[in-house]
Amino acid sequence: MAAGTTDRPLGVGLVGCGVIGQIHADTLRFLVEDGDMVAVAAADPVAAAHQAARRNCAFGFTTEDAGALIADPDVEAVLVATPTDTHAPLVRAALALGKPVLCEKPLAPTY
């Protein structure tokens, strides 16, 4: 664990398992291996994308329902890697539950 962190790993959920999500999953794998995070879940409406993300990181479960992932109490932080036009509602949903968010840029397609 890095200095100043808790004694337990942070539970992370990935929303979006496309190409960019798979890159984030691969990076998350290193943090999981270091014991800093737990890859709780990955969400994507395309089942084949779940399998691709799981090849990069051993998520506890996958789902087609991003809302269920965000609401899961074991998911303490959310990484959003979906198409740009879906970022804002997903980020708002996670923030409404008090969960930290890392959102792939840009946050929204318009101002």
Side-chain angles (χ1 to χ4, degrees):
M1 303 247 84
T5 61
T6 64
D7 292 335
R8 63 179 183 77
L10 179 69
V12 177
L14 170 66
V15 180
C17 300
V19 173
I20 298 300
Q22 291 173 38
I23 293 168
H24 285 292
D26 190 48
T27 303
L28 179 59
R29 175 178 53 91
F30 294 110
L31 297 167
V32 169
E33 289 172 355
D34 287 345
D36 293 326
M37 295 187 180
V38 172
V40 176
D44 196 284
V46 179
H50 302 175
Q51 297 166 355
R54 272 197 155 150
R55 282 192 295 271
N56 294 339
C57 186
F59 291 96
F61 71 93
T62 58
T63 180
E64 294 180 6
D65 187 347
L69 179 147
I70 291 168
D72 189 303
D74 291 332
V75 173
E76 300 170 286
V78 179
L79 197 165
V80 176
T82 56
T84 302
D85 63 344
T86 65
H87 288 179
L90 294 168
V91 168
R92 284 187 188 112
L95 293 176
L97 294 173
K99 297 183 181 193
V101 177
L102 171 64
C103 182
E104 182 67 26
K105 63 186 178 195
L107 185 58
T110 64
Y111 291 106

